[in-house]
């Protein structure tokens, strides 16, 4: 940082001293100049160029260009001249015929969709109406861009990469939280073990009998008078041996091990002269004592983790005195993927989804008393040469409703049959999509006839209806509905509505035939409403009135347009009623 030096001169006689306000202004000016000198402008290389905004990228709502006339305002006569000028300009210099670009697609029977493989067509159909989805992406076909960012060839915003980063951060936070919880549990167990050990030592000290005071050698008349006169008096001074308390029996063996009388208790009680404690011998009983039947408690230490331990495997061994002792045998369960030889006792029991595991050496410790741990070396990654060109392996998948709308409604798509290589006409596409809306497809000569209530006709009527109103419908299987409605597109905002399409047989012909719509219970409707309410979406039931077969076949002879006019769409909004909010 640059140093600012201020030179002050002594005020000369005959000159007025500056006012405090002038001094503050001068000081502020000097500070601004010094700040301007210290803050050098950033180089042009560090200033990253910002691309066009999303409003410029997705400016066209459809893959065709329109040339509307200006708005006419009756209270403004000048707007009439503006409208007349624009109309005369289009009459004498007409705009190019639309659609100016016709995209090419290929029909796929395997995925029952239309594949767009040209990169320009993929970008155009996505940016001009959000049609289709990338087969290697979540929605937008940006696999090539994502690969370039991962290889460091360019710096750009990719939604899948940011989503993956957020998921990794959440997983790391969950792992850290689980590790802290495991450490807290371990500290609690250690504290409980310490308290249990202190209680055991206290009980052991309390069980040690207090030896009776032996009479000392007399050194005077008082001591001579205090000596006992006979052996009876000496025996009275000796305390009686304390019998060992027996625990409450919990089984037949423990009941048989109980003593039958006070004499058996005295016989089974022996005083250990080495340490002065009372022990209970099991040689005089038919069964083992209650203490022998209990499992030995394994101390919990930092060096002995309890993870991956099976406490059910126990070995019993006997010593030469006939006392049986239980020895715990450690059983380890191995997983298919081995990340580390050992784990810390504080590690949560989910190492497969964890960041790199730290393996510790319990035998070595640093000055702070903590075990020395080091990170496992990462696995070697396959190095991809940057010089190799990246081939785009992604294509755009169009649903039958989207493909037919682009071909029939807008005329911007031509679909080719992969077997013959010929371009399918609209009538052929209409029949093809109807055949594959059934399962199995009705494309054979012996298959039943196509019905006017097949899945493609009912769903295309709904798709065409909302596309004509300016909405952006997309598949809604992720939320358990047929379609999701976006106001502008998935780039700008979330979907506001979820649509469920229900065919309606309101015509008298269907009633005479006894045809009824699908019957679903209230539990199904409640579950769908609950799912959509959690993601702040509203449920809309779309009833499509299906025409009778004879009317549909007659209208189909005049064209697809006349046949689709017979379908009527009705919308019913469903909201979740809550007694607390709607009273």
């Amino acid at each position: 940082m640059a140093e600012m030096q201020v030179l002050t001169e002594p005020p000369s006689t005959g000159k007025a001293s500056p006012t405090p306000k002038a001094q503050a202004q001068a000081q502020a000016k000097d500070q601004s100049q010094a700040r301007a000198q210290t803050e050098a402008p950033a180089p042009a290389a560090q200033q990253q160029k910002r691309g066009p905004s999303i409003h410029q990228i997705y400016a066209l709502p459809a893959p065709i260009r329109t040339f509307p006339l200006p708005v006419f305002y009756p209270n403004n006569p000048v707007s009439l001249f503006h409208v007349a000028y624009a109309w005369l300009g289009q009459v004498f210099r007409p705009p190019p015929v639309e659609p100016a670009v016709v995209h090419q697609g290929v029909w796929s029977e395997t995925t029952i969709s239309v594949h767009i493989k040209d990169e320009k067509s993929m970008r155009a159909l996505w940016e001009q109406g959000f049609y289709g989805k990338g087969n290697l992406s979540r929605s937008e076909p940006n696999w090539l861009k994502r690969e370039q960012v991962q290889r460091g060839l360019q710096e750009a915003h990719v939604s899948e990469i940011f989503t993956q980063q957020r998921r990794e951060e959440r997983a790391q936070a969950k792992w850290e939280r689980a590790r802290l919880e495991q450490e807290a549990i371990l500290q609690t167990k250690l504290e409980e073990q310490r308290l249990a050990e202190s209680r055991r030592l206290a009980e052991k000290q309390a069980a040690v009998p207090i030896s009776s005071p032996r009479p000392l050698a007399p050194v005077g008349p008082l001591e001579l008078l205090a000596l006992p006169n006979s052996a009876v008096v000496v025996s009275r001074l000796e305390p009686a041996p304390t019998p060992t308390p027996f625990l409450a029996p919990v089984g037949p063996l423990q009941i048989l091990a109980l003593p039958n009388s006070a004499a058996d208790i005295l016989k089974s009680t022996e005083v250990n002269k080495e340490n002065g404690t009372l022990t209970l011998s099991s040689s005089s009983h038919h069964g083992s004592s209650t203490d022998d039947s209990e499992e030995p408690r394994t101390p919990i230490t930092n060096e002995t983790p309890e993870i991956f331990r099976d406490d059910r495997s126990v070995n019993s061994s006997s010593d030469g005195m006939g006392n049986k002792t239980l020895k715990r045998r450690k059983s380890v369960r191995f997983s298919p993927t081995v990340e580390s030889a050992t784990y810390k006792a504080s590690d949560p029991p989910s190492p497969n989804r964890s960041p790199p595991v730290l393996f510790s050496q319990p035998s070595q410790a640093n000055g702070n008393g903590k075990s020395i741990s080091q990170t496992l070396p990462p696995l070697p990654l396959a190095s991809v040469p940057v010089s190799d060109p990246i081939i785009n392996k992604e294509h755009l998948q169009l649903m039958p409703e989207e493909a037919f709308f682009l071909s029939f409604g807008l005329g911007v798509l031509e679909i080719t049959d992969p077997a013959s290589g010929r371009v399918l006409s609209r009538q052929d596409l209409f029949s093809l999509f109807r055949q594959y809306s059934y399962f199995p497809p009705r494309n054979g000569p012996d298959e039943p006839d196509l019905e006017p209530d097949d899945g493609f006709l009912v769903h295309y009527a709904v798709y065409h209806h909302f596309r004509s109103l300016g909405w952006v419908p997309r598949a809604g299987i992720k939320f358990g509905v047929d379609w999701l409605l976006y106001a502008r597109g998935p780039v700008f905002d979330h979907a506001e509505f979820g649509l469920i399409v229900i065919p309606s047989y309101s015509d008298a012909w269907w009633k005479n035939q006894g045809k009824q719509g699908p019957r679903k219970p209230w539990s199904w409707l409640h579950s769908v409403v609950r799912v959509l309410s959690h993601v702040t979406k509203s449920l809309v039931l779309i009833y499509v009135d299906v025409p009778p077969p004879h009317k549909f076949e007659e209208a189909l002879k005049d064209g697809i347009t006349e046949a689709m006019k017979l379908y009527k769409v009705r919308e019913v909004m469903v909201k979740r009623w809550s007694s607390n909010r709607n009273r």
Side-chain angles (χ1 to χ4, degrees), residues 172-185:
Q172 180 68 21
K174 292 179 180 179
W175 173 266
E176 185 67 19
R177 182 178 59 190
R179 185 185 63 81
L180 295 176
E181 292 177 357
Q182 194 73 17
E183 289 182 356
I185 293 173

Side-chain angles (χ1 to χ4, degrees), residues 452-453 504-505 507 509-510 544-552 563 565-568:
D453 61 343
S504 176
Y505 304 94
D507 194 90
W509 188 89
W510 293 110
V544 181
D545 294 334
V546 181
H550 62 277
K551 292 184 180 180
F552 178 78
K565 288 181 180 180
L566 300 177
Y567 290 87
K568 307 296 181 183

Side-chain angles (χ1 to χ4, degrees), residues 323-381:
N323 297 326
K324 293 185 178 181
T325 59
L326 299 180
K327 295 183 179 180
R328 191 182 303 276
R329 185 176 60 188
K330 185 176 180 181
S331 176
V332 181
R333 297 187 295 272
F334 296 95
S335 78
T337 57
V338 180
E339 294 186 3
S340 135
T342 59
Y343 298 97
K344 286 185 176 180
S346 60
D347 289 345
S350 299
N352 293 332
R353 299 183 180 179
S354 66
V357 183
L358 300 178
F359 66 91
S360 59
Q361 301 174 356
S363 59
Q364 300 177 2
N366 53 15
N368 299 328
K370 299 181 180 179
S371 60
I372 302 175
S373 60
Q374 51 185 348
T375 308
L376 288 175
L379 297 176
L381 301 177

